[in-house]
Amino acid sequence: MALFFHSRSSQQIPHKAITRVLVIILLLWIGVHANAQQRTGVITVRFFQITVEIADTPASRTQGLMGRRALPINHGMLFVFERPERQCFWMKNTPLPLTIAFIGDDGAIVNFADMEPFSEQAHCSEKPVRYALEMERGWFRARGVIAGDQVSGHSLTRN
C-alpha cells in the first residue's frame, strides 16, 4: 500500500494521523502473519480424527479460541503445556460454546467441562495434565467419548 502526499496542498494530513494509519497497517500485517504461523496437526480420540490448531506457546494459549464464532466439523484447539500441572480455563471473549477435555501425559482423558460463552467461570482439570482439547460443545458426548478414553497423535508427543 502506498500513501501519497502532495506537499503544496492546503489540506495536509496531520503527522498523528499518518502515524496512526501506519500503526494500524503494521498491526494488521502482524495479525495476518501470526495467524498464518498457527501450527496444526491431526489427533485421534478413540477412532475419530480431529484437526487441531496447536496452542503451545504462552501467547497462543492466551489467545485460544477468543473471538471465534464457529469451528469446522471435527476441528478443535489442542493446548500443550511444558509439564503436567492442574490447568484451568475460562471463556472470557469467546462467543463459541465449548467442551474441554483435560488429557494426561499418558493420553488418557481425565475429565471434561462444558463452558459457557463469555463466562469468567474457571473450569479446571481434576489432576495435573499436560494437554487440553477444546471442541464445539457436545462433540465428545455425541460420539460417546468418556473419561479414560485415549487420545493419540503426533501432536501429543513430549517436547
Side-chain angles (χ1 to χ4, degrees):
M1 172 185 282
L3 297 175
F4 296 98
F5 303 100
H6 191 278
S7 62
R8 295 183 184 192
S9 171
S10 62
Q11 296 179 342
Q12 293 205 359
I13 298 174
H15 179 69
K16 285 183 180 181
I18 294 169
T19 302
R20 285 184 188 139
V21 168
L22 292 175
V23 167
I24 290 169
I25 291 168
L26 177 64
L27 291 174
L28 289 172
W29 183 84
I30 289 170
V32 166
H33 287 280
N35 288 338
Q37 298 298 323
Q38 181 70 47
R39 289 189 328 124
T40 61
V42 176
I43 61 172
T44 303
V45 177
R46 292 179 55 206
F47 51 84
F48 301 102
Q49 284 200 330
I50 302 168
T51 300
V52 292
E53 294 177 40
I54 301 167
D56 59 356
T57 65
S60 63
R61 289 190 296 255
T62 298
Q63 178 64 35
L65 292 172
M66 275 196 255
R68 303 278 184 93
R69 298 205 177 278
L71 286 172
I73 294 173
N74 296 325
H75 280 66
M77 180 165 278
L78 180 67
F79 294 83
V80 181
F81 298 92
E82 287 76 21
R83 63 187 133 331
E85 293 180 321
R86 188 165 184 251
Q87 303 296 340
C88 295
F89 287 72
W90 64 348
M91 295 283 287
K92 186 176 181 179
N93 300 321
T94 306
L96 178 65
L98 300 170
T99 300
I100 189 166
F102 294 101
I103 305 164
D105 235 7
D106 61 355
I109 296 174
V110 172
N111 65 292
F112 300 95
D114 286 335
M115 302 189 298
E116 293 294 323
F118 302 110
S119 172
E120 293 185 24
Q121 177 185 354
H123 301 278
C124 302
S125 60
E126 292 176 355
K127 68 178 194 177
V129 297
R130 192 165 149 77
Y131 309 99
L133 174 60
E134 289 182 339
M135 298 292 290
E136 209 165 335
R137 182 179 303 148
W139 188 94
F140 299 102
R141 191 174 302 113
R143 288 156 183 81
V145 177
I146 59 172
D149 281 348
Q150 285 295 130
V151 179
S152 61
H154 181 65
S155 303
L156 290 174
T157 57
R158 294 182 183 179
N159 295 338

